[in-house]
Amino acid sequence: NQGFNWSKARYELGNILTHLRQTDYHGNLMAHWRAGAWNGTLAVHYTLRRQLSSGTYPLYDGALENNDPSASYEQEGRMHTPEFAAFAKRPLGNKLVLGLGGRFGRDATEKRTLLAAQTHLLYPINKRQSLTLAGGRYYQLTYPRGGTLSLQYNRSYQLALDWQYEHQRWTAQAAVYRHWARWQNQDNTIYGAEGLLRYQAYPFQFWLSASHVSCSIEADAAPFPTAFVFAYLLRAGGRCDLPAQFNLTGNWLLRQGQYFRPLTGRQWESTIDAYLPIFAEPSQGERLTAFQRVDIGLTKTILLEDSFLIAYLNINNVLNRSNLRAYAFDEDYSQVFPTLYSQRVWFVGVVYQWE
């Protein structure tokens, strides 16, 4: 498999402005094998990414308004990442299935070795239910985009227990997990639980999920939550297959507002001739208002000889809800301004695929 992408984008939030032009080439070679009770997959993947970015960024934290001090930048990045992966599984007795996998890569830009490994154990309870215990070490490369100006490497460990149930048109899944990661150069242990219920009856599909995420960071022996803690995260969606190869989809999301530290004061710093903010203690934070969004989409598939064409129209935040993202301040921290997530945004495009 091979692919090529080209994109041009503009991101703007207050006085943060990013113009981004990006080209990507992806190459992937896979081989499936079987030897006795074992079967698996070998893969080689290569990514070449070239980015040209320019724009402005604030000179100090919180200075996000258009008239706040900012600096300009322009940079060019070229990143190539080769990766090798292998996965294998085999039955253990009459009930259990063992799976093993690994991924090895090389970040040539930072000359960093990337290593991921995972194992899982599948236990079928009966014809309708199964349990899976999985654990591993994972890595992710976050490429520059929007307000992220540099390549970021994230590493984590996770242990999870999954349950699945299937009966006729219904599917139910539930999972609990523990996730070890680092956030803002501090150890951050995350606990979570998720549930999913899905119903399929042609031409309709419906699903509903609920999640809970809990974690905290120790600061001066007092734990405090991070911006990624949510007491609830609810999602629902549906799809309807219409005549003439049309498909209509809809998705809804509701989650608790993010945790943040409010501004409590300011102090003058003569060395930089500017005010510096004073925020509440980490354990004295507050939460933004709840985030809610409804998206809809319509696609049309046109079948051609040995190929097909998909035309699509997607509208995010179709109700144009104003979801609070954060608070920004003027240059002397005397005024506070709310900043919002994207409001109604629409996308239109076509995809052509052939064999």
Side-chain angles (χ1 to χ4, degrees):
N1 298 312
Q2 299 181 68
F4 176 80
N5 302 316
W6 178 86
S7 64
K8 182 179 180 180
R10 172 190 171 97
Y11 301 88
E12 186 172 2
L13 174 63
N15 63 352
I16 299 178
L17 176 63
T18 303
H19 294 278
L20 184 65
R21 285 185 295 165
Q22 178 174 303
T23 55
D24 297 310
Y25 169 77
H26 307 278
N28 192 58
L29 177 65
M30 300 181 65
H32 303 282
W33 58 272
R34 180 182 297 274
W38 290 91
N39 67 87
T41 302
L42 299 174
V44 179
H45 181 76
Y46 182 79
T47 300
L48 174 62
R49 172 167 295 186
R50 183 172 180 263
Q51 288 185 328
L52 296 173
S53 59
S54 62
T56 60
Y57 62 93
L59 289 181
Y60 49 88
D61 292 342
L64 297 177
E65 289 304 304
N66 292 328
N67 58 349
D68 286 342
S70 63
S72 301
Y73 77 94
E74 183 173 342
Q75 66 180 16
E76 178 178 354
R78 183 183 178 91
M79 294 154 278
H80 51 96
T81 308
E83 293 182 301
F84 306 89
F87 175 79
K89 66 177 181 179
R90 62 159 296 162
L92 297 178
N94 297 325
K95 281 283 189 179
L96 297 176
V97 177
L98 174 66
L100 301 169
R103 186 160 58 114
F104 174 81
R106 180 72 175 171
D107 174 14
T109 305
E110 300 291 335
K111 295 181 171 52
R112 179 191 289 122
T113 299
L114 311 173
L115 178 64
Q118 175 181 327
T119 182
H120 75 258
L121 196 62
L122 172 65
Y123 175 69
I125 302 173
N126 51 44
K127 292 182 179 180
R128 297 177 181 174
Q129 301 182 73
S130 64
L131 285 174
T132 302
L133 179 65
R137 165 190 166 129
Y138 307 91
Y139 70 82
Q140 180 185 35
L141 291 175
T142 302
Y143 290 93
R145 196 166 185 84
T148 304
L149 302 181
S150 60
L151 182 70
Q152 296 181 356
Y153 170 67
N154 303 305
R155 184 183 64 190
S156 62
Y157 300 84
Q158 180 164 305
L159 180 65
L161 178 64
D162 297 83
W163 168 80
Q164 181 167 315
Y165 174 85
E166 295 183 4
H167 179 60
Q168 296 179 355
R169 298 174 177 176
W170 292 92
T171 300
Q173 294 175 271
V176 292
Y177 61 86
R178 183 173 181 178
H179 187 88
W180 294 266
R182 288 185 64 80
W183 184 72
Q184 292 187 349
N185 295 319
Q186 294 176 295
D187 290 327
N188 184 22
T189 302
I190 302 171
Y191 301 88
E194 301 176 356
L196 171 68
L197 183 64
R198 186 184 301 274
Y199 177 78
Q200 299 185 49
Y202 185 82
F204 299 103
Q205 297 182 37
F206 303 100
W207 60 272
L208 173 67
S209 74
S211 305
H212 170 82
V213 181
S214 176
C215 64
S216 62
I217 287 180
E218 296 286 338
D220 299 327
F224 66 94
T226 73
F228 310 109
V229 175
F230 301 108
Y232 62 88
L233 193 158
L234 305 176
R235 290 174 289 187
R239 168 177 168 151
C240 180
D241 296 330
L242 302 173
Q245 301 295 322
F246 280 97
N247 299 103
L248 179 66
T249 60
N251 293 284
W252 166 78
L253 183 149
L254 172 66
R255 64 161 171 80
Q256 186 182 29
Q258 285 186 303
Y259 184 86
F260 76 103
R261 296 166 59 187
L263 181 72
T264 59
R266 58 179 183 165
Q267 66 179 20
W268 177 258
E269 181 58 58
S270 58
T271 57
I272 61 174
D273 197 28
Y275 282 98
L276 293 180
I278 301 175
F279 294 100
E281 294 297 321
S283 59
Q284 302 298 316
E286 300 177 1
R287 285 197 172 273
L288 302 175
T289 55
F291 178 98
Q292 185 173 182
R293 200 176 88 176
V294 177
D295 305 332
I296 61 173
L298 181 66
T299 63
K300 164 67 175 178
T301 302
I302 303 173
L303 301 177
L304 306 171
E305 184 177 357
D306 299 326
S307 63
F308 59 89
L309 185 72
I310 300 176
Y312 63 87
L313 168 65
N314 294 331
I315 305 177
N316 290 353
N317 195 7
V318 65
L319 301 180
N320 205 31
R321 178 182 171 88
S322 298
N323 289 303
L324 186 60
R325 176 175 183 164
Y327 288 105
F329 316 97
D330 61 3
E331 61 182 357
D332 62 359
Y333 292 93
S334 61
Q335 299 185 64
V336 180
F337 308 93
T339 61
L340 303 177
Y341 284 99
S342 296
Q343 296 188 263
R344 185 184 298 119
V345 181
W346 59 271
F347 306 86
V348 63
V350 294
V351 177
Y352 178 64
Q353 185 169 331
W354 68 94
E355 297 181 356

